[in-house]
Amino acid sequence: VPQKPWFYDLREVWKGYPIQSMLPSQYWYYMIELSFYWSLLFSIASDVKRKDFKEQIIHHVATIILISFSWFANYIRAGTLIMALHDSSDYLLESAKMFNYAGWRNTCNNIFIVFAAVFIVTRLVILPFWIMHCTVVYPLDLYPPFFGYYFFNFMMVVLQS
């Protein structure tokens, strides 16, 4: 995916839309991500109830809806960018948890600091100011808004919230 022009030039995300080809790597990325979030949604029912239980349910459902909708509406390029952006910090959080459970406090704390920095940059700067700008503004240069445009961007706001 990084060698594709739409990975760097966000206007390229919409070039040729709605008829865009899908790479095998994008297909598998979608299948793995969707399976992962369905598993999280199912496993949360048997997990220890935390105080953010409702927020997790909303997040997982919104993510499943976004992934599914971007698949069906052929928003594959935008979806791939959004998933990659979210995944860039997730593995750091899971690594910090793993080291915490292992009792490696210093390693856990250091990884958590890196996680916090990556999370802030990707989810609070890049996602709202570049990616959401790409999904809200650039499509309007090419086609009139339709239900899917509004729905996708509304769900992005829910996920961001």
Side-chain angles (χ1 to χ4, degrees):
V1 174
Q3 71 272 19
K4 297 297 178 188
W6 50 266
F7 195 79
Y8 303 102
D9 181 2
L10 296 180
R11 289 193 181 274
E12 291 286 322
V13 167
W14 304 107
K15 189 175 183 180
Y17 182 82
I19 302 168
Q20 296 174 331
S21 61
M22 180 191 314
L23 302 169
S25 58
Q26 288 173 300
Y27 171 84
W28 286 109
Y29 193 24
Y30 262 79
M31 294 302 110
I32 291 167
E33 285 285 312
L34 193 55
S35 300
F36 174 70
Y37 279 100
W38 272 111
S39 74
L40 287 178
L41 188 61
F42 287 131
S43 68
I44 199 169
S46 63
D47 205 359
V48 175
K49 295 272 193 270
R50 297 186 210 156
K51 57 184 170 187
D52 65 343
F53 176 79
K54 291 177 186 173
E55 290 83 358
Q56 283 186 333
I57 294 288
I58 292 167
H59 177 269
H60 297 334
V61 170
T63 302
I64 289 167
I65 290 170
L66 267 169
I67 291 171
S68 300
F69 179 79
S70 69
W71 175 272
F72 290 120
N74 205 26
Y75 276 32
I76 302 296
R77 291 178 182 176
T80 301
L81 291 174
I82 293 162
M83 290 186 301
L85 197 63
H86 276 77
D87 289 346
S88 65
S89 64
D90 286 351
Y91 77 92
L92 291 166
L93 179 61
E94 297 305 322
S95 298
K97 287 181 185 178
M98 182 181 68
F99 284 111
N100 182 47
Y101 298 145
W104 294 27
R105 302 287 182 250
N106 287 337
T107 305
C108 169
N109 292 339
N110 289 330
I111 291 174
F112 190 80
I113 290 168
V114 174
F115 158 77
V118 171
F119 183 92
I120 288 168
V121 169
T122 58
R123 304 233 186 143
L124 302 178
V125 176
I126 295 174
L127 184 68
F129 296 108
W130 285 326
I131 303 298
M132 288 180 75
H133 184 263
C134 169
T135 63
V136 171
V137 175
Y138 296 160
L140 298 178
D141 292 341
L142 302 171
Y143 57 85
F146 65 107
F147 169 77
Y149 165 84
Y150 294 111
F151 180 76
F152 183 82
N153 286 301
F154 171 75
M155 291 305 296
M156 285 291 294
V157 170
V158 169
L159 191 64
Q160 183 66 13
S161 299

